[in-house]
Amino acid sequence: LMGSLEEVVMPQNGIYHEGLSALADAFASNPNLRILNMNDNTFTAKGAKAMGAAIKKLNKLEVLNLGDCLLKSGGTKLICKALKGRHPNLKEFVLDSNEIRLAGGLEIVGAVKGKENLEKLSIDGNQFGEDGLKKILNKMEEIGMKDIIGEVEDTEEPDSDEEDPDVSDDDDEEDK
């Protein structure tokens, strides 16, 4: 029965942004959703936009697992924007292996700030680079949340020749 879901676990289903957009619409009708695990599906920024809109309506979320979803920095920005100032019960936020660069990593810091119940933030396997990771960890320390970050062993250097195509401010106009 849609509207009564509390837990959705759909990892590794090969769902692309079209399907994720349809699912996001359904999730938005389930305000009691506490656990959302969409690990290892292919969001990209298109799917992240729809999921971000749904996440704004899911204020009871405790676990949000979007690891290995190809969010990149643009998709991460959209998800983080949806979380900022909401979701006081969030305990676990997983964004590992998403090809996120420094700009997206800093968005994550802003999204988790003030989330007193957050126990775990997973950002391993992204493209922050060593210096970028240090900046993110310093920012997390500034807000008193460095200890919630899981081990970060694998952070690739971003390819300086390649721009992060998913970073865009186009969507900011909609929120004004």
Side-chain angles (χ1 to χ4, degrees):
L1 180 66
M2 289 307 277
S4 62
L5 292 177
E6 292 185 22
E7 184 172 333
V8 174
V9 180
M10 299 180 74
Q12 299 177 323
N13 279 290
I15 306 169
Y16 287 83
H17 66 85
E18 299 93 344
L20 289 162
S21 295
L23 285 169
D25 289 343
F27 297 159
S29 301
N30 289 273
N32 293 319
L33 199 61
R34 294 179 301 104
I35 298 170
L36 182 56
N37 179 347
M38 298 300 293
N39 188 287
D40 199 7
N41 286 290
T42 308
F43 274 64
T44 70
K46 290 179 183 176
K49 184 175 183 179
M51 196 60 67
I55 287 170
K56 283 182 180 179
K57 299 175 182 176
L58 305 175
N59 213 37
K60 294 185 179 179
L61 272 182
E62 295 175 15
V63 176
L64 180 57
N65 185 337
L66 301 178
D68 202 16
C69 287
L70 203 64
L71 289 172
K72 298 192 176 187
S73 292
T76 299
K77 178 181 177 181
L78 295 168
I79 297 298
C80 288
K81 192 183 216 181
L83 289 173
K84 202 175 281 188
R86 298 178 186 88
H87 309 89
N89 301 320
L90 193 65
K91 295 178 184 173
E92 185 176 328
F93 187 24
V94 179
L95 286 172
D96 51 359
S97 303
N98 269 301
E99 298 183 16
I100 303 167
R101 295 182 179 205
L102 177 58
L106 295 173
E107 291 286 338
I108 295 167
V109 175
V112 301
K113 185 176 181 180
K115 296 202 182 328
E116 296 175 9
N117 292 313
L118 194 62
E119 300 167 3
K120 177 185 174 190
L121 173 63
S122 180
I123 57 171
D124 193 30
N126 283 295
Q127 296 179 355
F128 305 130
E130 195 173 316
D131 291 340
L133 179 60
K134 284 179 187 172
K135 288 178 184 174
I136 293 165
L137 294 175
N138 286 339
K139 291 285 185 188
M140 289 296 288
E141 192 165 16
E142 285 175 21
I143 64 170
M145 299 182 84
K146 186 177 177 185
D147 57 329
I148 66 163
I149 295 182
E151 204 169 321
V152 183
E153 296 177 345
D154 182 22
T155 182
E156 296 176 24
E157 293 294 329
D159 185 351
S160 59
D161 297 340
E162 182 182 313
E163 286 186 36
D164 190 349
D166 280 339
V167 176
S168 169
D169 290 322
D170 296 344
D171 297 322
D172 287 346
E173 294 303 313
E174 293 176 12
D175 294 330
K176 290 182 180 168

